[in-house]
Amino acid sequence: MTKDIRLSIFWNMQPQPTTVMVIEKHPLMRAAIVNAIADEPDLTIGAIAANGFETMQIVENLQPRIILFAIGNPGVDDLDMMRELHKRVPTAVVLALISDEVDGQSQSALEYGADMVLAKTASRAELLHTLRLMKVNMEGSEENSSHVHRRGSG
C-alpha cells in the first residue's frame, strides 16, 4: 500500500467535527465564544447568528448538532426562540448560556428546551467540557458534571 493511499484511508477514518451554531447578541461575546471553540479539532463553528431572524434563516439549512444559545435578558423572546429551534432541528442539542444574576433563568431555559445550561461566568475549559459532554450524550453515553444543569435533573 502506498503512502498516499494509507494517508487517504487514515484521513477518511477521522471522525468529523461536531457542528456548533453560536447565537449571541453581543459582538464581543460572540467573538469570545467563537475563539474559544475555533482551535478545537473535534468541534467546528458552522454558523454564527446575532438575532432570531438570522438564526431561523440559517438553522434549517445548516442542521447543526449543537446550538449554543446565549440568553440575553430575561423575557419570553429568547425562550420562545429556543422552543422553535427544537421544532425546526429536533436532532440538535441546545446549550443555553445564562447570566448568573437572573433568578430562575436556568430552570426557564430547561423548560423551554435547553438540553444543558451553563453560566456565562464559566471558563473556556468548562465550556469545551460541556460541549464535549453534549457530543458524547448525543452518541448515547452518560457522564456527570457539576458545572451544568440538565433538563430533567432539577
Side-chain angles (χ1 to χ4, degrees):
M1 194 181 287
T2 68
K3 182 178 179 182
D4 290 338
I5 293 172
R6 282 185 299 216
L7 285 175
S8 176
I9 291 170
F10 174 76
W11 184 261
N12 290 329
M13 291 173 44
Q14 296 298 310
Q16 293 294 316
T18 299
T19 304
V20 179
M21 179 175 185
V22 175
I23 306 167
E24 167 58 64
K25 296 174 188 171
H26 304 100
L28 186 58
M29 282 298 296
R30 249 191 334 267
I33 293 167
V34 168
N35 285 335
I37 299 170
D39 292 333
E40 301 303 311
D42 58 331
L43 301 167
T44 186
I45 301 294
I48 304 163
N51 58 52
F53 180 73
E54 287 179 1
T55 298
M56 295 308 170
Q57 284 187 319
I58 295 168
V59 74
E60 288 179 355
N61 292 326
L62 178 64
Q63 294 291 307
R65 298 291 289 146
I66 298 174
I67 299 171
L68 193 156
F69 191 113
I71 296 178
N73 299 305
V76 180
D77 294 341
D78 283 347
L79 298 174
D80 283 341
M81 188 164 60
M82 191 180 314
R83 185 175 278 159
E84 183 64 25
L85 286 171
H86 260 296
K87 288 179 187 174
R88 293 187 187 212
V89 190
T91 58
V93 292
V94 177
L95 172 60
L97 282 181
I98 64 164
S99 172
D100 277 343
E101 297 85 37
V102 180
D103 289 337
Q105 200 174 40
S106 177
Q107 187 60 37
S108 294
L110 293 169
E111 289 171 3
Y112 275 76
D115 294 284
M116 291 186 175
V117 177
L118 185 67
K120 289 182 179 181
T121 56
S123 68
R124 177 180 184 268
E126 289 170 325
L127 172 62
L128 295 174
H129 172 78
T130 302
L131 291 171
R132 289 186 175 110
L133 178 63
M134 294 179 84
K135 181 178 175 180
V136 167
N137 285 344
M138 285 187 305
E139 296 164 0
S141 299
E142 283 294 318
E143 185 179 328
N144 290 322
S145 175
S146 61
H147 309 294
V148 176
H149 297 281
R150 291 187 211 163
R151 191 170 0 150
S153 67

